[in-house]
Amino acid sequence: MRRRQFVHALAGLAAAGFSVATRAKIPRLRIGVVGGGIVGASIAWRLAEAGADVVQFERTAPGAGATRNSFAWLNAFVADRHYQALRLASIAVYRELDELLGLGITWGGYLNWARDEAEAATVSANAAQLAGTAVPTRSLTPAEFANLNPVIAPGPIAAALYSAIDGHLDPVHATLQLLAQARRHGARLQCPCEVQGLDMRSGHLRSVQTSGGVVPLDRLVVAAGVDTPRLLEMAGFKLRLRHAPGFLAHSTPAPLQVRSVCDAPAGLSFKQMADGTLVGTDSPEPPDLPVHASIREGAIDFPDDAIRALHGNRALDKIKAFLPGARAAALDRVTLGFRPMPTDGFPVIGHVPGAPDLYVAVTHSGVTLAPILGMHVRSELLHERELSALAPYRPGRFAQRG
Ligand SMILES: Cc1cc2nc3c(=O)[nH]c(=O)nc-3n(C[C@H](O)[C@H](O)[C@H](O)COP(=O)(O)OP(=O)(O)OC[C@H]3O[C@@H](n4cnc5c(N)ncnc54)[C@H](O)[C@@H]3O)c2cc1C
């Protein structure tokens, strides 16, 4: 029986509920997953659940990369219909996983409001790009806004938009729950353990060299966030990501006030976690000022603690201005994260050109997309299906020509 047949048989047995002992008699595909962020965790779980022999490598700690520093807004707020459908599918899976895994998602929707005509044009553009799509948004009058969110002091409202399907979560907690599922199905997490080299023969994977030794593998999924290009380069594939830093201020817990993810005037985004912590930023990317030059150019930290606190306090003060009941909240910490941002903004998912045993999964909005990616990557790797849901996101679109 060829490997493909073995894997099909295995998936059938798993679906039929056969025991691990029964399955153990069938050679299992040995699949490595590089990265213990939310995307790698979801993929490891789904592969192990379907009967693959999964080993996951995480260099630092689970969720230590972009996942830890994420705003973690679950949304389908994109104009591209195909991409929107993928995100909606993932949000639907989150609805099921929330209770099953105790993810503690706050399903509070999304609010976007403007204080003047110039900002209102942006809110209207956001509404227009979603009009007639499967993302149900509606405009709010000031009275409706007040009714929906009595605790927010919004100031003058020139336009307001509400989307009911959005949620937010604690991304590290969610990652740990997904990893626990992976472990339950037999996946082994090696951590701390860095993948340092690939042993490829005639384009096929033999093993990976790690800081803990050599591990023979049949397939490797690279879900290494911003480090993904370095790993793909080892297989001769060049992928460039856009350097996309973003900071978030985190407060001490305040009394529970707001459940929606909020995009407020002047570029302020914030949410309140279930424990009362306020999380937000007044600048999705560092403004183009000389003081930010180093952060805009490379993956580094804030120059010093004073600048870190300055950014954090400025953002938190702006958030508190909209939440009078949270005025006592103080700055707890400021995170600076780096989004795994493909240059065209869309996910990069699929077999690596020239290295069919390697599969890549790198994307912005990975918190939103992790559940559906886990399921789709399982189908593509174990059932050797090419899913149309992933067709536009193949790495081949970045293959260098000529
Ligand atoms: C400021 C900010 C705001 C964001 N807001 C949102 C949002 O609102 N909604 C949303 O959906 N997404 C958001 N994102 C994006 C989202 O956080 C990421 O897309 C997602 O976390 C990516 O998860 P990942 O598992 O692919 O990567 P990561 O979480 O970066 O995990 C990759 C892991 O791989 C490990 N690794 C790297 N190289 C190796 C190696 N050689 N060997 C072993 N391990 C290795 C790293 O240590 C890391 O833990 C935001 C990101 C940031 C930074």
Side-chain angles (χ1 to χ4, degrees):
M1 203 186 271
R2 293 185 59 241
R3 164 157 289 130
R4 183 206 295 235
Q5 292 167 306
F6 278 131
V7 171
H8 277 277
L10 189 58
L13 288 174
F18 273 66
S19 69
V20 172
T22 310
R23 282 187 272 154
K25 294 190 184 121
I26 298 170
R28 299 159 77 204
L29 206 58
R30 298 165 305 176
I31 306 182
V33 178
V34 194
I38 195 162
V39 173
S42 178
I43 292 171
W45 168 28
R46 295 307 192 170
L47 290 172
E49 182 188 45
D53 178 12
V54 176
V55 55
Q56 191 170 5
F57 308 100
E58 168 50 51
R59 186 179 50 201
T60 314
T67 297
R68 175 182 301 278
N69 302 312
S70 181
F71 189 50
W73 166 31
L74 311 180
N75 73 92
F77 229 78
V78 290
D80 183 275
R81 300 294 198 266
H82 190 282
Y83 191 30
Q84 190 188 81
L86 186 72
R87 298 170 76 118
L88 283 170
S90 205
I91 291 171
V93 181
Y94 262 127
R95 289 263 173 200
E96 288 174 20
L97 295 186
D98 190 12
E99 216 172 301
L100 192 73
L101 307 187
L103 298 184
I105 300 175
T106 301
W107 294 108
Y110 165 79
L111 259 180
N112 178 205
W113 78 96
R115 64 187 163 184
D116 56 33
E117 286 312 312
E119 285 181 354
T122 308
V123 174
S124 302
N126 287 342
Q129 79 175 14
L130 295 173
T133 74
V135 177
T137 57
R138 66 186 166 100
S139 297
L140 298 177
T141 64
E144 288 168 332
F145 186 105
N147 208 23
L148 195 65
N149 287 281
V151 293
I152 300 179
I157 297 180
L161 178 70
Y162 179 66
S163 160
I165 62 163
D166 307 51
H168 68 83
L169 49 67
D170 175 341
V172 175
H173 172 71
T175 302
L176 294 176
Q177 300 315 303
L178 295 170
L179 288 173
Q181 289 304 309
R183 196 168 52 243
R184 214 166 66 77
H185 289 282
R188 294 156 345 263
L189 173 65
Q190 301 202 355
C191 177
C193 181
E194 182 178 19
V195 174
Q196 296 168 332
L198 310 180
D199 180 7
M200 312 274 301
R201 308 269 166 90
S202 313
H204 286 280
L205 180 73
R206 304 283 287 267
S207 63
V208 294
Q209 290 105 47
T210 77
S211 49
V214 172
V215 182
L217 290 172
D218 302 308
R219 303 279 187 276
L220 187 69
V221 179
V222 182
V226 295
D227 294 304
T228 297
R230 211 157 48 82
L231 284 142
L232 298 190
E233 181 106 47
M234 294 175 193
F237 187 76
K238 282 198 182 3
L239 175 73
R240 244 171 22 87
L241 297 177
R242 194 154 70 75
H243 179 59
F247 88 92
L248 290 170
H250 297 248
S251 79
T252 55
L256 271 181
Q257 306 248 317
V258 61
R259 289 171 49 78
S260 302
V261 171
C262 296
D263 268 348
L268 185 70
S269 300
F270 65 89
K271 65 177 189 176
Q272 190 170 27
M273 306 292 289
D275 69 354
T277 303
L278 296 166
V279 180
T281 184
D282 61 350
S283 173
E285 301 229 336
D288 191 6
L289 300 173
V291 69
H292 297 136
S294 54
I295 287 179
R296 286 172 62 86
E297 279 159 21
I300 60 143
D301 204 347
F302 286 105
D304 55 51
D305 283 346
I307 295 202
R308 177 187 294 273
L310 183 131
H311 286 298
N313 279 315
R314 186 192 61 237
L316 184 58
D317 286 348
K318 289 183 186 173
I319 296 168
K320 290 195 290 185
F322 290 112
L323 295 174
R327 293 257 159 86
L331 185 66
D332 180 54
R333 65 198 164 93
V334 183
T335 53
L336 177 60
F338 302 91
R339 302 172 178 91
M341 183 70 83
T343 47
D344 62 5
F346 291 102
V348 182
I349 313 284
H351 292 279
V352 175
D357 299 336
L358 257 59
Y359 191 103
V360 58
V362 61
T363 184
H364 180 51
S365 296
V367 175
T368 300
L369 292 168
I372 200 70
L373 291 183
M375 297 168 75
H376 283 351
V377 172
R378 170 188 60 192
S379 294
E380 293 215 322
L381 271 177
L382 297 188
H383 307 291
E384 299 188 7
R385 292 171 59 199
E386 292 271 318
L387 299 184
S388 58
L390 299 181
Y393 313 120
R394 302 304 181 195
R397 71 188 190 275
F398 297 114
Q400 287 179 346
R401 299 181 216 297

